[in-house]
Amino acid sequence: MLEYKKNSEKPWSKYVRKFSMFSTAALAATAILGACQPQAEETDADIIPKENAKSQAKVEEKTNVMYIVLDDAGFSDLGSFGSEIDTSHMDELAANGLRYNNFHAAPVCSPARASLLTGRNNHAVGMGNVANFDFGEDNPSRRAEISEEAGFVTEVLGEYGYTNFGLGKWHIAPTVELSPAGPYDRWPLGRGFHRYYGNLEDSSDQFRPELVRDNSTIPLPDVEDYHYSEDIIQNARQCIIDQVSIRPDDPFFMYIGFGAQHMPHQVPKEYIEQYEGVYDKGWEVIREQRFEKQKEIGIIPEDAELSLLEPGIKEWDSLSEEQKKVYARFMETYAGFLTHTDEQIGKLIDTLEETGELDNTLIVLISDNGASFSGGENGATNQSLAYNKITEDFDYIAENFDEIGGEGTSSDYPIGWSQVSNTPFPNFKGTTHAGGLRTPMIVHWPNGMEAKGEVRTQFTHISDITVMVYDVLGVDVPEQLNGVEQMEITGVSFADTFDNPDAVTGKDTQYFEHSGMRTIYHDGWKAIANHEPGTDFEEDEWELYNITDDFSELNNVADENPELIEQLIDLWYEEAEENNVLPLSENFLGGFANLPSDSIRARKSFTYYPEMSHLSESAAPLTLDRNHEITIPIVLDEEDEGVLLALGNDKSGYTFYLKENKLYYEYHNGKERFTITPGKELDEGEHIITFNFENTGENRGIGTVFINDEPVGETEIQTLPLKTAFEGLDIGKDLLYPVSPEYVDEGSFPFTGKIEKVLYEFEEPEYILFE
């Protein structure tokens, strides 16, 4: 029997839910987590009223708060968590703060960030999957629409005089809304941030990102040797310096979401060269070395076990010399990328120190999920192919060896290295096993904790971080924000662990779900459902792990505990019901091409004008497998040329351009280029350019180009199945990376004639909706 009880001790008690432990004999043998009973005395602070603070009453001055979020970094990737990679600045934060070895994020990034910034479970706030996917009105928790009833930490802290800065990756708004015309209510400034600089999509090229400042798309900075991570930190430093120079008494909140370590792995070559030869010994040896170091530094118990290689990962010694060389270069790139990221964090810490803000800034550093397996067996050099589930041939990758980590590739390492990143756990990002969920967390706050360099073992969840912040600041969460009644907070503060390694937090229960994969944690036990795609969820087999005794979650004891496993399954369903997880859906990457009838992208026609700002691919018309027509009326003078329309980049996309009085159309699917090159030259005057696509089968069709209603060329086109590109739509130019190599030396190749408009038309407002 499960019993629910309200926590009456916290200042936000109306919103916090707690669980009692099971009453079974099997659970009685596990560590019992009781309700949090903070004991600190009350005090007053200069900036934040402290009369309700329970846990960290020692705070007697302003306290800044900073979240630093790495993307797709595994549990063992930091030096302070076992790695051989140089992460000295993050390790210094760990040496002067605390490391949490039982921290759980989410299987993928958008749900993790939604929980982090709201202090609530991700499905409950409307982020049941990544923000690129919209599964329609029947799945309200999978529409990427974070409810206004779930106030962001920025909205709450804004009520207490905080200035809120956001930098880097956002990815918690429906990507269909990431247009220069908004709507902006789910952009950072719509959720309590005062300043924002970064990218709104799921990932970003590190050399030529699609950038937004506040609510406006902006061009790439004209900076020699530009790198996005450096740009993020330069803007973060500027925010801090502006704040402490002009309003030194006012606290700030800062959220930094790096693109690193997400695909594409891109970094200046000298960082790759720093690791030449380090990974020649192979992934099994590196895993063993990390595993032993983890024990030596106390980040895992002495009796922890190392998981076996996952299916599909070949033993290093079975590889050819060429494979070893290429695979090692991928990992050298990943390591160099992380060291470069660490250097940027070092610059940020230096700024805090130089301005006297380091000691009174509460810093929480995490990764949003475990290491990714999207690189597949061979690794990947083209993100478009990886996300469309198309494997790159090894020979092709080998030919691009010198380009790995540079502008010419959007790289990701092979899954053998992914499991190294997740040492000692099994599995990867996108699963609800430990490799997908358990990531490093470092908390650093000199003014708020006496312990330094220690490890904490309490179960913690990403939704707990913001609740911990409310706790230590003495913040009462308003019953209403912006006139909207607020939903309950489900995170639990772990502030008592700062100076007490044995503190009981009361975090008894936490569910997880991603694309039909499920896990439930309760009082030291974890039950995990293995779901085979295409089968009934009721047929799933559940595993059971006692993570108090089995740190790496490797010894399935479900058969020995049938009653317990049934109770945990029941608990998962109760949690699912309460957090709006149901109905279950196993769909994931197919969501890229999902198009509910009420989506902005489901319109029958779209008209764009030549001065329109750069438009995100996710907000551009969805043309895949849909009959459509693109019409572009133009006016030419002698020798006019340039791009009429381009969507995508050098990795995939399509483009229309004029060169030497001839019109060209090109579609690039990542492997092949399909071109239409009419023989006739265009005269001066008015012309109507039309492209018609007729679908002839799955991911296939006939493209025909017309000039003034006369067909002038056609070709069969093999389209990508799920996502056309990772760069958006430009009218009258091709910003960032050129789609076609034929104008690579022309910069953005702006059209010198006149474009009246660009019209996309579909036969009917078709839409796709998963069952």
Side-chain angles (χ1 to χ4, degrees), residues 113 297 338 432 463 581 716:
R113 293 159 200 266
I297 63 178
L338 185 54
T432 57
S463 65
V581 181
E716 186 175 24

Side-chain angles (χ1 to χ4, degrees), residues 568-742:
L568 287 168
I569 292 170
D570 289 344
L571 177 58
W572 187 90
Y573 275 102
E574 290 191 37
E575 288 290 283
E577 197 73 47
E578 183 160 343
N579 287 280
N580 205 24
V581 181
L582 305 174
L584 289 170
S585 170
E586 66 183 27
N587 288 302
F588 184 51
L589 288 180
F592 276 124
N594 200 38
L595 194 65
S597 58
D598 61 347
S599 168
I600 297 172
R601 299 176 90 191
R603 296 204 318 253
K604 183 178 179 180
S605 65
F606 303 79
T607 302
Y608 302 123
Y609 295 92
E611 292 82 10
M612 184 184 74
S613 300
H614 182 78
L615 178 63
S616 164
E617 190 273 344
S618 296
L622 180 63
T623 59
L624 299 172
D625 273 354
R626 301 177 68 198
N627 292 347
H628 65 277
E629 196 165 81
I630 302 173
T631 303
I632 313 174
I634 62 173
V635 180
L636 294 180
D637 288 331
E638 187 177 357
E639 297 184 352
D640 277 335
E641 62 178 8
V643 173
L644 303 177
L645 177 153
L647 183 145
N649 56 21
D650 57 334
K651 315 303 186 296
S652 67
Y654 57 86
T655 180
F656 301 82
Y657 66 96
L658 268 73
K659 199 169 186 180
E660 298 178 351
N661 296 324
K662 291 185 178 180
L663 173 70
Y664 298 85
Y665 167 82
E666 186 174 316
Y667 183 97
H668 179 31
N669 68 8
K671 286 191 171 183
E672 297 179 80
R673 292 183 183 273
F674 303 90
T675 60
I676 300 175
T677 310
K680 64 180 292 186
E681 294 187 0
L682 292 177
D683 299 327
E684 293 184 43
E686 298 180 357
H687 300 278
I688 297 177
I689 310 301
T690 305
F691 172 78
N692 178 274
F693 180 83
E694 182 179 353
N695 182 253
T696 58
E698 188 173 3
N699 311 319
R700 185 174 293 278
I702 301 294
T704 306
V705 170
F706 299 80
I707 299 177
N708 302 325
D709 295 330
E710 176 188 351
V712 294
E714 71 174 31
T715 186
E716 186 175 24
I717 300 173
Q718 181 73 50
T719 66
L720 288 165
L722 303 175
K723 186 173 174 66
T724 301
F726 281 83
E727 187 181 314
L729 175 68
D730 295 310
I731 307 297
K733 55 189 173 296
D734 189 354
L735 295 175
L736 304 177
Y737 291 96
V739 174
S740 174
E742 297 301 320

Side-chain angles (χ1 to χ4, degrees), residues 47 62 161 163 165 195 237-252 355 357:
I47 303 301
K62 74 166 184 178
T163 302
F165 305 117
R195 295 173 67 178
R237 293 177 68 246
Q238 191 67 55
C239 288
I240 293 170
I241 291 169
D242 289 347
Q243 177 77 8
V244 301
S245 296
I246 300 166
R247 297 171 56 192
D249 295 330
D250 293 349
F252 65 83
T355 55
E357 299 293 326

Side-chain angles (χ1 to χ4, degrees), residues 10-75:
K10 300 292 185 182
W12 54 86
S13 58
K14 180 176 180 179
Y15 303 96
V16 179
R17 179 171 48 82
K18 292 290 185 73
F19 294 91
S20 69
M21 67 173 188
F22 281 120
S23 58
T24 64
L27 283 180
T30 67
I32 298 175
L33 302 179
C36 182
Q37 299 291 336
Q39 301 295 324
E41 297 178 359
E42 298 177 354
T43 185
D44 295 321
D46 296 336
I47 303 301
I48 302 298
K50 290 298 185 186
E51 61 273 10
N52 293 320
K54 301 286 186 179
S55 298
Q56 291 293 314
K58 67 179 72 174
V59 182
E60 297 178 353
E61 59 182 342
K62 74 166 184 178
T63 298
N64 308 311
V65 178
M66 181 179 291
Y67 295 168
I68 301 174
V69 182
L70 302 177
D71 202 335
D72 288 6
F75 180 82

Side-chain angles (χ1 to χ4, degrees), residues 81-185:
F81 279 75
S83 177
E84 71 292 333
I85 300 172
D86 180 4
T87 57
S88 55
H89 300 288
M90 287 184 274
D91 296 342
E92 186 173 355
L93 290 177
N96 292 292
L98 295 173
R99 289 167 291 163
Y100 286 76
N101 72 355
N102 200 4
F103 170 71
H104 292 66
V108 289
C109 50
S110 299
R113 293 159 200 266
S115 286
L116 172 64
L117 291 173
T118 66
R120 299 165 172 94
N121 288 322
N122 59 287
H123 294 83
V125 304
M127 193 63 71
N129 212 310
V130 293
N132 309 74
F133 305 159
D134 182 348
F135 291 98
E137 294 178 324
D138 293 336
N139 292 274
S141 70
R142 296 180 179 88
R143 306 211 72 181
E145 298 175 348
I146 298 181
S147 171
E148 292 183 2
E149 296 174 351
F152 278 38
V153 60
T154 44
E155 295 173 299
V156 173
L157 294 186
E159 298 284 308
Y160 283 77
Y162 275 71
T163 302
N164 300 311
F165 305 117
L167 301 112
K169 174 176 171 177
W170 185 239
H171 202 208
I172 44 175
T175 54
V176 71
E177 297 181 358
L178 306 184
S179 79
Y184 306 113
D185 53 327

Side-chain angles (χ1 to χ4, degrees), residues 67 72 98 120 126 177 187 196 227 253 294 304 345 348 364 382 393 399 407 430 439 448 572 598 667 677 713 725:
Y67 295 168
D72 288 6
L98 295 173
R120 299 165 172 94
E177 297 181 358
W187 290 32
Y196 170 74
H227 194 280
F253 171 86
Q294 287 175 325
I345 293 173
L348 182 68
V364 181
N382 188 323
D393 296 329
E399 289 174 5
E407 288 191 353
T439 73
W572 187 90
D598 61 347
Y667 183 97
T677 310

